[in-house]
Amino acid sequence: MARALLLLPLLCLCWALGPGGARPARPNLLLLLMDDMGWGDLGAFGEPSKETPNLDQMASEGMLFLDFYTANPLCSPSRAALLTGRLPIRNGFYTTNAHARNAYTPQDIVGGIPDSELLLPELLKKAGYINKIIGKWHLGHRPQFHPLKHGFDEWFGSPNCHFGPYDNRELPNIPVYRDWEMIGRYYEDFKIDLKTGEANLTQIYLQEALDFISRQQASQQPFFLYWAIDATHAPVYASKHFLGTSQRGLYGDAVREIDDSVGKILKHLQKLGISENTFVFFTSDNGAALISAPKQGGSNGRFLCGKQTTFEGGMREPAIAWWPGHIPAGEVSHQLGNVMDLFTTSLSLAGLQPPSDRQIDGIDLLPAILQGRLIDRPIFYYRGNEMMAVRVGLYKAHYWTWSNSWEEYGKGIDFCPGQNVSGVTTHTQEEHTTLPLLFHLGRDPGEKYPLSFASAEYQGAMERISGVVQQHKETMVPGEPQLNVCDKAVMNWSPPGCEKLGKCLKPPKSDPKKCFWPH
């Protein structure tokens, strides 16, 4: 009851004027979140093969964000940040097992999204929205973390990455859910051919989206659809029709199928006559995984390094906003944006205020999207429990640098292939808190040329940045870390619904241990 009363004051009557006049009080919300797709993977962002005509058209009809970021260079924390509007260090999606380590939710993780966190779909329910997630959840797979317990009404997808196949003795294959119960497992019932890369999952996710949109249009209820597909996460896959069609190989095949699917979703909205009442945003959870490139990973364009790092390639994302009749066509924005802003912006579109009992890091992007106003705000780059860098305006200051350890690098794990920058892409954790490394991202988007410590430009920029960082750290209250403990007994041995399918597996004896996070 107290939780329900807390949410009641969030309702408000909010109207705003955009280029098309009064905007709908409760537009549909469609967030298209890709997995490990890089800033440089779309034609609209300069990819030379120009194989994304539908996403490029979406950009030409809407607004392209050139300076849009994730909240963490890894999948689970960035998704938790998107759905809570809060940095992972606040919502608990980090580890304290070692300094500045990336952590996520493999199937032996004990933790997940805490009940104390208010997720976007929970809040949207108060404005009458029906909420569906399609694809990867990744905020915990144990029963208490189920997405239908955190505001979603429907789910088709999986709690974890599509890794495998496993033998169901040492490790269980990952389940696929419809709503509350599993309906099969990857590699057993939902095939992924690791030799050819063939899988029909993107087509299944597409049809799920089209069917949901049609049902909601018929019911005249506003909807929130979170389409979180994972074809561009290694092992990369595409359906038979798209295999071998890209100049970029299998990864490009996956991107082409995603592009085709997004085109069909947008055309479906138009066919149903609801495109002007549906706000659509396309982005990715983190930068391209260069460790898997070029066959199983994408491109971060001119930016340094990739997934797992707090360099630009790990955290700057492709982003497109589309809302016919409201967003002027062909707009390009230099607004500093973050996936956490999708939380606050979505609430604003629904006529809701964000919760006032906690720190919300996401800002409302509607002034930037509808009126072209630039909002002054910093971007914080976190890796685990450490603030590694901060961007203010065009300046980015690194307080810590690290790509990965010499030990991991020696095993062939390279997050910055072909991009070694002396003193920057370090293989030991280097502290720069006394004299941060400073880059001007307008002149030097690749973070190759640190400004001289003695220059007036450095001193002027750092005077402003230091105040921002001091205020941020003074007000930071970390949440309880959720990614510290692992236990094989909590894996997907017997998910709900396994009895009906004869797919329940016997778990091993519980043996909780500290998770090991090498990066």
Side-chain angles (χ1 to χ4, degrees):
M1 177 61 73
R3 188 177 179 84
L5 289 173
L6 175 67
L7 298 179
L8 285 174
L10 297 171
L11 284 167
C12 69
L13 296 175
C14 298
W15 291 80
L17 292 177
R23 62 178 171 85
R26 295 187 302 165
N28 304 313
L29 304 169
L30 175 49
L31 300 185
L32 308 170
L33 184 72
M34 301 303 104
D35 203 337
D36 289 6
M37 184 177 281
W39 191 95
D41 276 331
L42 308 184
F45 286 83
E47 204 291 312
S49 62
K50 301 294 183 184
E51 293 179 341
T52 54
N54 294 290
L55 284 161
D56 298 347
Q57 183 177 344
M58 180 185 180
S60 71
E61 294 173 354
M63 178 175 281
L64 197 69
F65 283 84
L66 298 179
D67 298 84
F68 197 83
Y69 290 86
T70 183
N72 189 271
L74 201 62
C75 39
S76 300
S78 70
R79 291 160 193 263
L82 187 159
L83 290 173
T84 63
R86 287 153 56 80
L87 285 163
I89 196 164
R90 296 194 208 274
N91 65 37
F93 264 64
Y94 71 103
T95 183
T96 54
N97 287 357
H99 178 250
R101 299 302 171 101
N102 290 317
Y104 69 110
T105 53
Q107 58 168 328
D108 62 344
I109 197 76
V110 171
I113 193 70
D115 281 341
S116 57
E117 291 297 320
L118 291 171
L119 273 61
L120 177 59
E122 288 182 83
L123 302 175
L124 291 175
K125 272 181 176 291
K126 294 299 175 179
Y129 280 74
I130 302 298
N131 309 304
K132 179 161 185 166
I133 171 174
I134 297 173
K136 187 164 80 173
W137 168 236
H138 231 210
L139 301 192
H141 60 278
R142 300 174 70 200
Q144 63 267 40
F145 307 128
H146 194 291
L148 270 60
K149 289 190 175 181
H150 292 273
F152 285 102
D153 300 290
E154 300 181 24
W155 179 27
F156 182 88
S158 173
N160 308 95
C161 290
H162 57 279
F163 294 136
Y166 302 123
D167 61 9
N168 285 334
R169 292 187 295 275
E170 182 67 21
L171 297 171
N173 280 315
I174 305 296
V176 175
Y177 280 74
R178 180 173 295 284
D179 299 334
W180 288 106
E181 297 185 344
M182 70 173 284
I183 56 172
R185 293 183 188 269
Y186 284 135
Y187 300 95
E188 299 172 20
D189 311 282
F190 294 87
K191 304 294 185 183
I192 303 172
D193 189 325
L194 296 183
K195 290 183 180 179
T196 66
E198 182 178 349
N200 207 39
L201 289 165
T202 300
Q203 292 303 307
I204 296 172
Y205 295 146
L206 168 61
Q207 195 58 51
E208 284 287 323
L210 298 178
D211 291 347
F212 176 74
I213 291 168
S214 294
R215 290 199 313 273
Q216 293 315 118
Q217 190 272 339
S219 71
Q220 298 294 300
Q221 282 185 285
F223 66 80
F224 166 48
L225 175 55
Y226 176 47
W227 200 62
I229 65 171
D230 62 357
T232 44
H233 187 298
V236 171
Y237 61 79
S239 63
K240 188 173 183 179
H241 178 72
F242 288 91
L243 286 178
T245 64
S246 171
Q247 295 183 42
R248 303 178 65 193
L250 178 57
Y251 183 86
D253 296 341
V255 172
R256 290 200 67 211
E257 184 167 17
I258 289 170
D259 175 76
D260 181 77
S261 298
V262 171
K264 287 175 177 171
I265 290 172
L266 299 185
K267 287 181 177 68
H268 192 58
L269 294 171
Q270 292 168 327
K271 180 182 176 182
L272 294 176
I274 57 173
S275 60
E276 293 193 5
N277 192 38
T278 305
F279 176 83
V280 185
F281 201 97
F282 176 97
T283 190
S284 180
D285 64 344
N286 46 249
L290 299 187
I291 187 175
S292 306
K295 293 183 179 180
Q296 296 272 331
S299 167
N300 295 314
R302 294 183 61 188
F303 300 123
L304 184 62
C305 301
K307 176 182 178 178
Q308 300 268 8
T309 78
T310 50
F311 302 111
E312 290 296 288
M315 294 191 61
R316 201 187 296 205
E317 309 306 326
I320 305 169
W322 186 86
W323 193 12
H326 304 277
I327 299 175
E331 292 290 303
V332 175
S333 177
H334 291 280
Q335 171 65 50
L336 297 190
N338 194 290
V339 293
M340 296 180 292
D341 302 340
L342 299 177
F343 173 90
T344 310
T345 304
S346 296
L347 291 179
S348 180
L349 285 163
L352 300 168
Q353 294 290 340
S356 59
D357 66 333
R358 64 199 63 207
Q359 179 69 43
I360 299 296
D361 297 293
I363 66 169
D364 183 359
L365 290 177
L366 289 184
I369 293 172
L370 299 180
Q371 298 155 17
R373 285 169 42 197
L374 292 182
I375 305 159
D376 186 25
R377 61 89 64 88
I379 296 291
F380 296 102
Y381 302 69
Y382 270 85
R383 184 165 174 167
N385 59 350
E386 184 61 73
M387 190 204 78
M388 304 287 284
V390 62
R391 177 176 174 179
V392 175
L394 285 169
Y395 292 97
K396 179 179 179 182
H398 288 271
Y399 286 73
W400 289 83
T401 54
W402 192 40
S403 55
N404 65 338
S405 69
W406 282 113
E407 181 183 0
E408 294 295 306
Y409 182 71
K411 297 175 184 176
I413 298 172
D414 188 356
F415 299 143
C416 311
Q419 292 185 301
N420 178 58
V421 180
S422 179
V424 179
T425 55
T426 55
H427 291 290
T428 55
Q429 292 187 5
E430 298 293 337
E431 185 174 4
H432 309 280
T433 53
T434 303
L435 282 174
L437 297 182
L438 185 66
F439 297 89
H440 186 287
L441 295 178
R443 299 191 300 263
D444 178 24
E447 299 172 280
K448 295 178 181 177
Y449 309 105
L451 272 63
S452 167
F453 298 138
S455 68
E457 183 181 10
Y458 179 94
Q459 293 175 29
M462 283 309 306
E463 184 177 356
R464 183 182 177 204
I465 292 172
S466 295
V468 170
V469 170
Q470 182 179 353
Q471 182 181 21
H472 175 71
K473 293 199 169 185
E474 285 177 353
T475 59
M476 173 56 66
V477 180
E480 186 71 25
Q482 296 295 308
L483 308 180
N484 280 351
V485 181
C486 290
D487 187 349
K488 281 192 173 184
V490 305
M491 288 182 168
N492 294 290
W493 301 103
S494 299
C498 67
E499 301 89 349
K500 298 176 184 177
L501 303 174
K503 287 183 175 289
C504 298
L505 303 169
K506 185 178 179 181
K509 184 179 178 181
S510 179
D511 183 22
K513 298 177 180 176
K514 272 190 174 184
C515 304
F516 173 64
W517 306 115
H519 313 303

